[in-house]
């Protein structure tokens, strides 16, 4: 083999994806693979970067996104790659853009992914083909959304599926898995899936079992019945003996604050805990469509968009209600359909959940929201800069482990999430003293600081605060091979 490398990084402080302390070394990559680590002062390379004072880590993996259409419509993926993210998991919360066959506008909350004209993938393989043809700046792996399956096979989403409808959903899920899907997601808290029985999901879980799939769930309840909802998710996963990932685990609503220890102990003490993980974002606020069931006058709610009253976007619900002389509930009724940020999480609960060893990092950002939650642009630098460096909630190595190797293992992304010989060259160069989020709830579209370079499959894709326009992302749900 020709020993001349494509890139050589010298004097890097290496966070290799494990929880071990960082170490100083050189790293060489050739094409799309890491080929050498150590003292490489004698090797030849097309380009050499001296990273003295800078850190080198595996590209971050955003395990919870709604970027299904965004990676195709805005393939520079600037909100993600500017944070150091090199891979995104799409199709979360029961909502996937593929496979979907719509005859009307998408029902709430499927509309978080776009309008009817945006749902063009009638089968899963066409979505995979589109990713590989479009080559977004980040890699993509996709879950199949349970709500999407219901839309395809049910004439009424607000009831249980019939036996024939369930057979059709199972058959389509099986086809999707064979075409490269990595698992199934559910959003049982949403009206479009709320009437699904546990048995409906168990039937789909058994399809996952024979296809080596993952079950990822937005729980049926994140408020007072969160323990019961977690227990249901265990029952579903156990039925197929499949891995379970709980999306954006939280104790939502003021009446639920302070229960994080209870939730975590319940998970730890379960006989199924060895197959359970969760994700979390580093903010004490969530975001979705405006849900009347979450209107609580003790909770600040920021309206991010409204179809009926667009002039009220970026205003708080209590201000709108006062202006209209209505209760907050009545004002919310007038604003729908709309988007909202809910300040309904305790900061302390979030910190306990995000620092748990089983927790990965997921942004849950909404790229189609005109005034998105700042997590869309700030999640990963916020964990490293604020939670690890400033607040010392965890070590920087642990923070990076939660967004790299832990995520790659749980989502079965072979060859990613670590700096090791033979791994894919998904890499991020950052300044460990300067990395920080800058996005706020007032100004949410703001690039993080301290992320200096991002490589995706060995291609320099982001540098000096801008895209290089060299996009190398691929679909990674199916097993990929490096060019080593």
């Amino acid at each position: 083999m020709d020993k001349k490398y494509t890139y050589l990084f010298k004097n890097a402080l290496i966070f290799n994806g494990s929880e071990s302390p960082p170490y100083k070394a050189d790293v060489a990559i050739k094409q799309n693979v890491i080929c050498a680590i150590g003292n490489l002062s004698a090797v030849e390379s097309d380009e050499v970067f001296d990273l003295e004072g800078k850190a080198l880590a595996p590209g971050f993996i955003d395990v919870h996104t709604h970027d299904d259409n965004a990676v195709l419509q805005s393939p520079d993926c600037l909100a993600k790659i500017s944070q150091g993210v090199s891979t995104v998991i799409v199709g979360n919360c029961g909502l996937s853009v593929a496979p979907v066959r719509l005859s009307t506008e998408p029902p709430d909350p499927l509309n978080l992914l776009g309008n009817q004209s945006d749902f063009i993938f009638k089968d899963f393989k066409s979505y995979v083909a589109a990713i590989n043809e479009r080559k977004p700046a980040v890699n993509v792996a996709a879950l199949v959304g349970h709500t999407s399956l219901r839309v395809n096979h049910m004439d009424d989403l607000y009831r249980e599926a019939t036996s024939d409808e369930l057979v059709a959903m199972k058959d389509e899920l099986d086809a999707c898995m064979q075409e490269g899907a990595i698992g199934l997601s559910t959003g049982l808290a949403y009206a479009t899936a709320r009437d699904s029985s546990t048995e409906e999901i168990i039937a789909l879980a058994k399809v996952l079992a024979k296809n080596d799939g993952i079950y990822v769930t937005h729980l049926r309840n994140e408020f007072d019945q969160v323990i019961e909802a977690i227990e249901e998710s265990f029952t579903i996963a156990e039925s197929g003996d499949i891995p379970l990932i709980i999306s954006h685990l939280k104790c939502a609503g003021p009446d639920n604050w302070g229960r994080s220890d209870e939730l975590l102990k319940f998970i730890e003490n379960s006989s199924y805990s060895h197959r359970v993980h969760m994700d979390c974002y580093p903010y004490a606020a969530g975001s979705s469509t405006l849900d009347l069931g979450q209107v609580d006058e003790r909770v600040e709610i920021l309206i991010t968009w409204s179809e009926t009253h667009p002039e009220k976007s970026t205003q708080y619900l209590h201000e709108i209600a006062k202006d209209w002389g209505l209760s907050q509930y009545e004002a919310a009724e007038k604003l729908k359909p709309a988007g909202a940020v809910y300040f309904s999480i305790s900061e302390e609960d979030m910190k306990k959940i995000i620092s748990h060893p089983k927790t990965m990092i997921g942004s849950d950002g909404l790229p189609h929201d005109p005034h998105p939650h700042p997590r869309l642009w700030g999640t990963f630098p916020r964990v490293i800069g604020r939670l690890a460096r400033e607040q010392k909630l965890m070590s920087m190595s642990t923070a990076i482990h939660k967004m790299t190797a832990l995520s790659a293992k749980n989502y079965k992304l072979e060859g990613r999430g670590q700096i090791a010989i033979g791994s894919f060259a998904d890499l991020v160069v950052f300044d460990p003293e300067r990395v920080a989020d800058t996005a706020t709830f007032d100004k949410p579209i703001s690039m993080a600081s301290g992320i200096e370079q991002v490589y995706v499959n060995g291609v320099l894709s982001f540098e000096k605060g801008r895209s290089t326009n060299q996009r190398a992302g691929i679909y990674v749900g199916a097993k990929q091979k490096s060019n080593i």
Side-chain angles (χ1 to χ4, degrees):
M1 182 193 291
D2 180 5
K3 290 294 184 182
K4 189 173 184 182
Y5 298 112
T6 309
Y7 291 109
L8 173 63
F9 305 97
K10 303 192 67 166
N11 304 310
L13 181 66
I14 297 174
F15 292 86
N16 64 6
S18 74
E19 293 189 81
S20 301
Y23 62 93
K24 290 286 287 286
D26 306 332
V27 175
I29 66 176
K30 183 177 177 64
Q31 296 180 29
N32 69 338
V33 73
I34 298 169
C35 294
I37 303 170
N39 183 348
L40 306 178
S41 56
V43 306
E44 293 184 23
S45 178
D46 292 334
E47 285 199 64
V48 179
F49 294 102
D50 187 345
L51 300 188
E52 187 66 48
K54 302 296 190 297
L56 185 68
F60 306 146
I61 299 169
D62 190 344
V63 298
H64 193 103
T65 83
H66 296 284
D67 293 336
D68 304 48
N69 268 321
V71 292
L72 298 171
Q73 294 170 352
S74 301
D76 61 351
C77 303
L78 198 58
K80 293 300 166 69
I81 203 159
S82 64
Q83 296 182 62
V85 170
S86 60
T87 300
V88 297
I89 309 295
V90 304
N92 283 282
C93 296
L95 315 172
S96 64
V97 76
V100 174
R101 298 177 290 278
L102 289 172
S103 57
T104 61
E105 284 297 317
D108 184 344
L110 198 59
N111 57 357
L112 289 172
L113 302 182
N115 300 317
Q116 184 180 356
S117 60
D118 297 313
F119 288 83
I120 61 174
F121 303 106
K122 293 179 170 53
D123 54 36
F124 195 85
K125 64 185 175 184
S126 61
Y127 181 70
V128 173
I131 294 294
N132 289 328
E133 181 181 345
R134 187 69 163 147
K135 284 196 175 297
V138 298
N139 299 313
V140 179
L143 300 157
V144 176
H146 168 236
T147 291
S148 298
L149 294 176
R150 296 189 109 227
V151 164
N152 292 345
H153 298 288
M154 297 178 65
D155 59 7
D156 179 5
L157 301 176
Y158 309 101
R159 59 169 172 79
E160 290 188 26
T162 66
S163 57
D164 287 347
E165 289 165 343
L166 186 52
V167 167
M169 286 193 280
K170 288 168 60 180
D171 288 346
E172 184 155 48
L173 176 59
D174 188 53
C176 291
M177 294 300 296
Q178 294 178 44
E179 292 167 3
I182 60 173
L184 175 77
S185 76
T186 55
L188 301 177
Y190 290 118
T192 46
R194 196 174 295 148
D195 290 311
S196 306
S197 64
T198 304
E199 289 69 31
E200 179 179 321
I201 316 303
I202 285 174
L204 296 170
K206 290 180 177 176
V207 176
L208 296 178
K210 73 172 188 174
N211 287 286
D212 195 28
I214 305 162
Y215 177 51
V216 184
T217 184
H218 175 153
L219 296 169
R220 196 179 289 274
N221 189 295
E222 296 177 321
F223 293 80
D224 57 329
Q225 295 181 321
V226 62
I227 291 289
E228 292 85 346
I230 293 172
E231 196 163 23
E232 180 190 35
S233 71
F234 287 171
T235 299
I236 293 165
E238 283 183 284
S239 71
D241 192 23
I242 52 177
L244 167 66
I245 296 169
I246 301 171
S247 296
H248 42 60
L249 183 62
K250 63 174 75 75
C251 307
D255 293 334
N256 226 25
W257 291 351
R259 295 185 67 193
S260 53
D261 285 333
E262 180 188 353
L263 266 60
L264 295 170
K265 285 176 183 174
F266 183 81
I267 292 169
E268 290 166 359
N269 293 337
S270 165
S271 60
Y272 205 66
S273 65
H274 63 293
R275 305 219 73 185
V276 180
H277 284 81
M278 45 269 193
D279 67 61
C280 186
Y281 44 78
Y283 298 85
S287 180
S288 187
T289 52
L290 180 58
D291 174 16
L292 296 178
Q294 294 190 55
V295 175
D296 183 329
E297 302 217 349
R298 299 169 296 173
V299 172
E300 288 266 42
I301 299 176
L302 174 65
I303 302 302
T304 60
W305 59 270
S306 168
E307 285 189 10
T308 53
H309 291 277
E311 75 281 3
K312 295 300 184 182
S313 62
T314 74
Q315 294 184 32
Y316 284 90
L317 182 59
H318 71 88
E319 296 171 338
I320 298 169
K322 183 178 179 181
D323 183 45
W324 284 345
L326 300 174
S327 70
Q328 290 191 36
Y329 188 93
E330 291 167 333
E333 283 185 305
K334 282 188 67 172
L335 291 163
K336 282 177 65 71
V341 170
Y342 303 90
F343 293 84
S344 60
I345 303 168
S346 155
E347 183 91 10
E348 284 306 306
D349 283 329
M350 178 275 288
K351 288 180 179 179
K352 286 181 179 178
I353 290 169
I354 207 167
S355 59
H356 191 277
K358 286 181 169 288
T359 303
M360 301 169 286
I361 307 303
S363 71
D364 197 13
L366 301 176
H368 299 287
D369 195 315
H371 188 86
H373 189 302
R375 64 192 181 187
L376 180 66
W377 286 81
T379 290
F380 292 82
R382 186 178 181 87
V383 172
I384 300 171
R386 176 185 287 251
L387 299 188
R389 185 186 63 232
E390 295 176 8
Q391 299 182 355
K392 304 193 184 308
L393 185 66
M394 62 189 81
S395 70
M396 201 170 282
S397 293
T398 294
I400 290 169
H401 172 67
K402 287 173 170 292
M403 54 184 73
T404 56
L406 184 64
S407 304
K409 179 181 179 182
N410 289 326
Y411 281 87
K412 303 180 181 181
L413 304 177
E414 292 190 8
R416 301 190 191 272
Q418 59 182 335
I419 293 180
I421 293 173
S423 291
F424 289 99
D426 293 346
L427 298 166
V428 54
V429 177
F430 67 94
D431 185 336
E433 297 303 318
R434 201 170 62 86
V435 64
D437 61 308
T438 65
T440 66
F441 290 100
D442 289 335
K443 295 183 178 179
I445 301 174
S446 182
M447 198 178 298
S449 61
I451 303 294
E452 305 211 345
Q453 292 182 328
V454 183
Y455 296 78
V456 178
N457 296 311
V459 173
L460 178 57
S461 304
F462 178 84
E463 184 179 35
K464 296 178 181 176
R466 59 176 60 91
S467 168
T468 65
N469 296 316
Q470 301 297 310
R471 307 197 309 264
I474 57 174
Y475 186 80
V476 295
K479 291 181 180 178
Q480 305 293 324
K481 292 182 179 179
S482 67
N483 292 334
I484 193 169

